[in-house]
């Protein structure tokens, strides 16, 4: 396991918002790079489920995801993180950091830093039941200078 640095525990400025969608919610995230946009989308998902202000960074969980294109890579990345939250140890991440972002082979290695979700400590907002491909968009136009992603999650 790679040693974590102090920088790994610095929380970046949120670069995401929630857009209304019939019976679901659309996560819209962006960043300076596509990697950051993916990380911010993950944080948007966790932020929709609970108030991240109350989450401490005491546990590190490693995840890997792969796909056959960028959309399936984003889908599987978020799905792995949702599984991490939904199965023991029910980890809610305060920060997600992609350590390897291979856009040629569509593979991601990442760490999620947070703690076990505890109802007596954390707010229980909407439950994200599933990630969907519905209306998924990955926008990376150089003239925009801001890669962004749109993902609808089933709540």
């Amino acid at each position: 396991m790679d040693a974590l640095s102090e920088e790994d525990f610095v929380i970046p400025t949120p670069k995401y918002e929630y857009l209304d969608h019939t019976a679901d919610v659309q996560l819209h995230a962006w960043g300076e790079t596509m990697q950051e946009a993916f990380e911010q989308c993950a944080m948007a998902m966790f932020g929709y489920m609970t108030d991240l202000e109350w989450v401490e960074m005491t546990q590190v969980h490693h995840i890997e995801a792969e796909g056959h294109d960028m959309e399936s890579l984003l889908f599987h990345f978020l799905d792995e993180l949702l599984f991490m939250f939904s199965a023991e140890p029910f980890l809610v991440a305060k920060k997600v950091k992609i350590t390897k972002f291979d856009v040629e082979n569509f593979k991601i290695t990442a760490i999620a830093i947070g703690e076990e979700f505890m109802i007596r400590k954390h707010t229980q907002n909407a439950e994200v039941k599933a990630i969907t491909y519905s209306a998924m968009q990955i926008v990376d136009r150089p003239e925009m200078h801001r890669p962004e992603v749109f993902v609808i999650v089933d709540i």
Side-chain angles (χ1 to χ4, degrees):
M1 179 171 104
D2 297 329
L4 298 178
S5 68
E6 285 186 34
E7 184 179 312
D8 290 327
F9 293 90
V10 175
I11 304 302
T13 302
K15 296 179 183 176
Y16 57 82
E17 64 185 350
Y18 305 108
L19 305 174
D20 289 332
H21 189 272
T22 310
D24 295 318
V25 68
Q26 185 175 39
L27 309 176
H28 173 216
W30 57 91
E32 298 297 316
T33 63
M34 188 57 70
Q35 177 175 323
E36 184 184 15
F38 273 48
E39 291 168 344
Q40 288 290 325
C41 192
M43 296 317 307
M45 180 179 73
F46 284 112
Y48 199 74
M49 294 189 288
T50 190
D51 182 352
L52 297 178
E53 183 178 329
W54 299 103
V55 178
E56 295 180 52
M57 296 193 294
T58 60
Q59 296 178 32
V60 177
H61 188 79
H62 296 264
I63 66 141
E64 294 181 3
E66 58 183 86
H68 60 273
D69 59 17
M70 288 298 281
E71 287 81 10
S72 65
L73 181 60
L74 178 57
F75 176 92
H76 290 293
F77 173 60
L78 295 174
D79 197 48
E80 283 294 321
L81 291 166
L82 182 58
F83 179 77
M84 178 189 75
F85 179 81
S86 302
E88 287 199 44
F90 310 109
L91 189 75
V92 58
K94 185 173 185 115
K95 182 174 183 180
V96 174
K97 180 180 177 186
I98 295 174
T99 55
K100 291 183 185 167
F101 192 64
D102 183 346
V103 296
E104 291 179 7
N105 298 303
F106 307 112
K107 294 183 179 183
I108 287 176
T109 302
I111 56 172
I113 307 171
E115 68 179 335
E116 182 179 342
F117 181 84
M118 294 175 284
I119 195 66
R120 64 187 176 276
K121 178 178 181 181
H122 304 108
T123 58
Q124 187 173 7
N125 300 342
E127 176 188 2
V128 173
K129 296 176 186 167
I131 312 303
T132 75
Y133 280 105
S134 175
M136 181 183 284
Q137 293 180 54
I138 298 176
V139 183
D140 191 11
R141 294 189 298 265
E143 70 273 10
M144 288 180 53
H145 304 290
R146 184 179 97 169
E148 51 188 331
V149 297
F150 297 84
V151 178
I152 294 175
V153 293
D154 181 21
I155 55 173

